[in-house]
Amino acid sequence: MAGDTLRLSARAMDANGHSMAAEFEWASTDTLVAAVDDAGLVTGIGTGEAEVTATAAGVTGRAELTVVAPVPTTVAITPDTVALTALGQTAQLAAEVRDQAGRVMADVPVTWASADTTVAVVDSLGLLTATGGGATTVIATAGEASGEALATVMQSAGAVIVSPATATIAVDDTVRLAAEAFDENGHAVEGAEFAWSSSNVSVAMVDGSGLVRGIAEGTATITATAGDARGTAEITVENPDRAALVALYHATDGPNWVNNDNWLTDAPLGDWHGVETDQSGRVVGLVMSQYDSDAREWRGNNLSGPIPPELGEFRGLKRLNLKVNHLSGPIPPELGGLVGLERLELDGNVLTGPIPPELGNLASLTLLRLGGNNLSGPIPAELGNLAELTWLSLGTGELSGPIPAELGNLAELTFLRLSKNNLTGPVPAELGKLANLTDLWLYQNDLSGPIPPELGKLAKLAKLYLYPGSCVGA
């Protein structure tokens, strides 16, 4: 090859084949192919064939030489193994080309290729880029020679995101968290596995699928870990009844209540004035008035303003007593959602508007006192659905329209007070079905028609008030 050298030697012999001393003259038949110096050192000049001669005493020896062009014979890629951990991550590869003499060939064109471009692609300069998980062979070709390198792409989590990032749940309630892992370039890591943990298992616990359960009031950090990456969510466990109590406090001028001990503090709800809770801390009673046994009357707690609809969220409430305060506005229909309510006492306020028919959904209700307000409109027929009701007091208001015959369905009713309203029409004969009734107050209305003879069947009736000042004992 051009630039290569080769040392030739010559020996002179006599007629009998014996070596003899001689001076040689060296020459090349084509000095564009090969040149030779006086010592027989041949240097390749260019490709082709040339004859090199050595002459002594008129006798010449010859050597045929061929100078060939260098060709790529081997290709080596460095590095020969590459591990990528993120989609879009790159690695620079280099190819070393050697000729048939094992010499590095500079500036030889190299063609790059990836056997699986869904795993990695390589550009014309050997820059490798990860495109998907798996393994591929990277090939560098120069002439007829080629070399290979192994590239693997296995995403590792560089970041974990947990959603929702914050959540508030009640004791014994659950929330499902989801975790996503991303590599260092922000690409999702498919099939990532997570280890879940809670910073405070006494407040919230989490299982291997990210399902969090509230244990007790407080806060806990839930962590999802994938490899060295982790993400968190902040979980607050609180009594869901707290929000409804806070709404009541703000809606009814809590700072000016007669007694607001512990309200809006971190004390257990059962320590808030007028609040009764069960063993799990859920509100079962809310009593904002007290009976003064000396004066023989109820005294309120100076609540004023509207009844907030949030009170309808007390799923465990059994008694709601807001009587003899200064509450105004309508009765929220949301109170019809208090499915466990047994006693509802709102009498002695300045409430206005109609009686919500949704109160007919209170299947466990035994006592309903709404009198002494400015309620108007008809008595909802839906109150006839209150099968457990024993006491119904709607007196002293602005109620109008007929007495619903459906009230005759209240088989457990012992006390019915509808007096001092604007009720019209006849007394329904269906009231004669109230076999347990002891008190019936209907006076000071605009009722008309005869007294139904069916009332004579009420064997337990002790007091019957039909007109102002009249009382008929039974």
Side-chain angles (χ1 to χ4, degrees):
M1 290 180 291
D4 286 352
T5 60
L6 178 65
R7 174 71 67 180
L8 299 180
S9 63
R11 187 176 58 172
M13 294 178 292
D14 61 19
N16 293 322
H18 299 289
S19 296
M20 56 179 292
E23 294 287 337
F24 297 97
E25 182 181 346
W26 294 88
S28 170
T29 60
D30 192 341
T31 56
L32 296 178
V33 174
V36 60
D37 66 8
D38 291 341
L41 182 64
V42 180
T43 300
I45 303 302
T47 58
E49 295 180 352
E51 184 180 73
V52 176
T53 60
T55 303
V59 180
T60 300
R62 294 173 173 81
E64 299 293 333
L65 296 179
T66 301
V67 179
V68 297
V71 294
T73 304
T74 62
V75 178
I77 299 177
T78 55
D80 59 1
T81 58
V82 179
L84 302 177
T85 59
L87 301 186
Q89 186 178 4
T90 61
Q92 183 64 57
L93 304 181
E96 184 181 72
V97 181
R98 291 181 179 269
D99 60 22
Q100 57 269 49
R103 292 176 301 190
V104 175
M105 300 179 66
D107 301 325
V108 176
V110 175
T111 301
W112 293 90
S114 170
D116 190 345
T117 56
T118 65
V119 174
V121 295
V122 60
D123 69 9
S124 61
L125 300 178
L127 184 65
L128 184 70
T129 303
T131 56
T136 185
T137 299
V138 180
I139 305 166
T141 302
E144 299 296 325
S146 63
E148 296 181 352
L150 177 64
T152 59
V153 179
M154 183 177 295
Q155 286 178 282
S156 63
V160 173
I161 295 178
V162 178
S163 58
T166 60
T168 299
I169 59 175
V171 174
D172 291 331
D173 280 351
T174 60
V175 61
R176 171 76 65 183
L177 300 181
E180 294 180 283
F182 299 89
D183 62 27
E184 64 180 23
N185 289 330
H187 298 283
V189 179
E190 302 295 336
E193 296 184 358
F194 302 94
W196 293 89
S197 62
S198 170
S199 66
N200 192 342
V201 295
S202 65
V203 171
M205 300 183 67
V206 61
D207 67 12
S209 67
L211 182 67
V212 179
R213 180 177 297 278
I215 304 299
E217 289 192 74
T219 58
T221 300
I222 305 300
T223 302
T225 303
D228 294 329
R230 60 181 54 198
T232 61
E234 298 300 321
I235 302 298
T236 300
V237 181
E238 67 178 26
N239 192 322
D241 296 337
R242 180 182 295 269
L245 292 176
V246 172
L248 176 67
Y249 183 88
H250 290 305
T252 59
D253 194 22
N256 290 312
W257 291 354
V258 174
N259 190 336
N260 57 13
D261 289 350
N262 292 322
W263 278 72
L264 305 191
T265 70
D266 291 333
L269 299 187
D271 293 341
W272 293 17
H273 172 75
V275 179
E276 302 170 4
T277 58
D278 60 16
Q279 291 182 345
S280 66
R282 298 301 297 268
V283 175
V284 295
L286 182 56
V287 180
M288 289 287 106
S289 61
Q290 301 293 327
Y291 185 73
D292 186 335
S293 57
D294 293 332
R296 296 185 179 182
E297 64 181 14
W298 285 90
R299 298 186 183 277
N301 199 37
N302 201 37
L303 277 69
S304 62
I307 299 174
E310 288 86 349
L311 295 191
E313 298 173 7
F314 286 121
R315 288 298 176 260
L317 195 65
K318 297 183 181 298
R319 183 181 184 186
L320 178 58
N321 178 352
L322 305 179
K323 65 192 302 177
V324 292
N325 281 285
H326 307 288
L327 298 172
S328 58
I331 298 174
E334 287 82 0
L335 297 187
L338 300 173
V339 294
L341 196 65
E342 298 174 358
R343 298 171 65 93
L344 177 57
E345 299 167 83
L346 303 178
D347 47 313
N349 286 285
V350 286
L351 298 172
T352 56
I355 298 174
E358 288 83 357
L359 298 186
N361 298 330
L362 303 177
S364 299
L365 202 64
T366 61
L367 181 144
L368 177 59
R369 300 181 63 119
L370 304 179
N373 284 290
N374 296 322
L375 298 175
S376 59
I379 298 173
E382 288 82 357
L383 297 186
N385 298 330
L386 303 176
E388 302 296 322
L389 200 65
T390 63
W391 190 288
L392 177 58
S393 178
L394 306 178
T396 313
E398 302 293 334
L399 299 175
S400 59
I403 299 173
E406 289 81 358
L407 297 186
N409 298 330
L410 303 177
E412 302 297 323
L413 200 65
T414 62
F415 185 96
L416 176 59
R417 181 171 184 170
L418 306 177
S419 55
K420 295 186 178 181
N421 280 291
N422 299 316
L423 301 176
T424 58
V427 177
E430 287 81 0
L431 298 186
K433 298 189 297 180
L434 302 177
N436 291 305
L437 198 64
T438 61
D439 289 73
L440 177 58
W441 299 41
L442 300 177
Y443 70 92
Q444 287 191 10
N445 281 291
D446 293 323
L447 299 173
S448 59
I451 298 174
E454 288 82 358
L455 298 186
K457 299 178 182 180
L458 301 178
K460 296 183 179 181
L461 192 66
K463 296 180 180 179
L464 174 62
Y465 292 92
L466 295 177
Y467 299 100
S470 65
C471 176
V472 179

